[in-house]
Amino acid sequence: LAKWMQELLRHGKMHFEVKYVIMDPGYKKEILERILKTSELLNIPVEVFQTDVFAVTEKIGGKSPCYLCARMRRGHLYNKAKELGCNKIALGHHFDDVIETILLSQFYAAEVQTMMPKLHSDNFPGLELIRPLYLVKEEDIISWMYSNGLTFINCACKFTEKTSHDETLSKRKEIKNLIKDLRKVNKDVDKNIFTSLNNVNLNCVLGTKKNGKYSSFLDEYNHKD
């Protein structure tokens, strides 16, 4: 994402300023050094800022610290963006993240939703979250990584280091494997999952929710009756 933003700034028609920041949630020294080495290799001028996310999460996150960790990291990023005077935060979520989120929401949260390509912050007025790689497939990012001789880190948190592979098999990984298997039967399944959220037939859903207000199909049905 950082390299893409850099190239867009150099060759695109739209002028903007960009700051490249790395939040250190408590990485081991060798992990941070690897990140900085990759940034140097890509000629990305990064700024590192320190947080205590891993330490706090490990202390009070319980057996499922990922939600707390994600919330804290997002808060630190918003605060840093505000400090730098930025009006947007660009995150590197890709197409596969989007379709996995759709199924995760259905299977484990009993709702239909996904990541949005653009999102205004409720808690930080004037800040907008954007996902420029929204339609880029994960396999293409991995191919680009290998073709440039790069190595990316995974989660690198202390919690996953202390547990076995089976225990850390996340729900997202489970969904990723499911989509992989479905793709063997239907090569367009990932595209269809994505398109379904842009093709919702409101005449054939039981209920919808917007801004916290729920509406049931019975509301209109009984009114017509």
Side-chain angles (χ1 to χ4, degrees):
L1 172 63
K3 196 62 184 177
W4 184 89
M5 295 292 289
Q6 189 180 62
E7 291 300 305
L8 181 64
L9 181 61
R10 287 173 176 170
H11 307 293
K13 297 181 180 180
M14 182 180 296
H15 175 73
F16 59 94
E17 295 182 47
V18 60
K19 300 285 186 180
Y20 305 95
V21 297
I22 294 173
M23 183 192 67
D24 181 3
Y27 290 133
K28 287 184 175 181
K29 181 180 178 181
E30 57 268 29
I31 294 294
L32 184 58
E33 287 177 349
R34 188 191 305 176
I35 296 172
L36 293 175
K37 183 178 180 180
T38 301
S39 301
E40 182 179 358
L41 181 63
L42 291 172
N43 195 29
I44 303 293
V46 298
E47 175 188 349
V48 179
F49 68 100
Q50 307 294 326
T51 71
D52 59 353
V53 171
F54 283 175
V56 173
T57 302
E58 188 175 28
K59 184 177 180 180
I60 65 174
K63 294 183 178 180
S64 302
C66 296
Y67 176 77
L68 176 61
C69 181
R71 294 280 296 181
M72 290 182 65
R73 285 188 286 114
R74 184 66 57 85
H76 281 296
L77 281 174
Y78 273 110
N79 282 316
K80 185 63 178 179
K82 186 176 180 181
E83 173 190 320
L84 293 172
C86 299
N87 65 349
K88 289 179 175 59
I89 296 176
L91 298 181
H93 296 113
H94 48 67
F95 179 84
D96 294 74
D97 290 323
V98 176
I99 63 173
E100 289 160 16
T101 299
I102 294 172
L103 296 190
L104 278 168
S105 296
Q106 291 181 329
F107 291 2
Y108 295 107
E111 60 183 359
V112 177
Q113 67 169 20
T114 189
M115 294 177 176
M116 299 297 290
K118 301 171 68 177
L119 192 66
H120 290 292
S121 172
D122 293 328
N123 299 321
F124 293 82
L127 267 178
E128 183 182 17
L129 187 151
I130 61 174
R131 295 183 169 101
L133 302 183
Y134 197 77
L135 297 179
V136 179
K137 292 192 173 183
E138 183 180 43
E139 62 182 5
D140 294 324
I141 297 173
I142 293 174
S143 176
W144 180 85
M145 176 188 74
Y146 284 134
S147 66
N148 285 277
L150 302 175
T151 302
F152 295 160
I153 67 168
N154 290 317
C155 179
C157 77
K158 297 178 180 178
F159 178 79
T160 54
E161 290 179 349
K162 296 179 179 179
T163 55
S164 70
H165 173 74
D166 289 338
E167 291 174 319
T168 58
L169 184 60
S170 68
K171 294 302 181 185
R172 185 168 291 275
K173 181 67 174 178
E174 179 184 314
I175 294 297
K176 185 182 293 291
N177 289 337
L178 172 62
I179 294 173
K180 183 179 179 180
D181 290 338
L182 290 172
R183 197 180 289 119
K184 296 175 183 177
V185 180
N186 179 0
K187 63 182 179 62
D188 294 323
V189 68
D190 48 1
K191 182 177 68 175
N192 290 343
I193 294 170
F194 178 85
T195 305
S196 70
L197 265 288
N198 196 39
N199 190 31
V200 179
N201 185 345
L202 293 180
N203 291 319
C204 297
V205 295
L206 299 178
T208 60
K209 183 169 62 176
K210 187 172 183 178
N211 298 325
K213 184 179 180 180
Y214 176 77
S215 297
S216 169
F217 86 99
L218 288 173
D219 297 336
E220 184 176 352
Y221 186 87
N222 291 333
H223 178 70
K224 290 181 179 179
D225 192 37

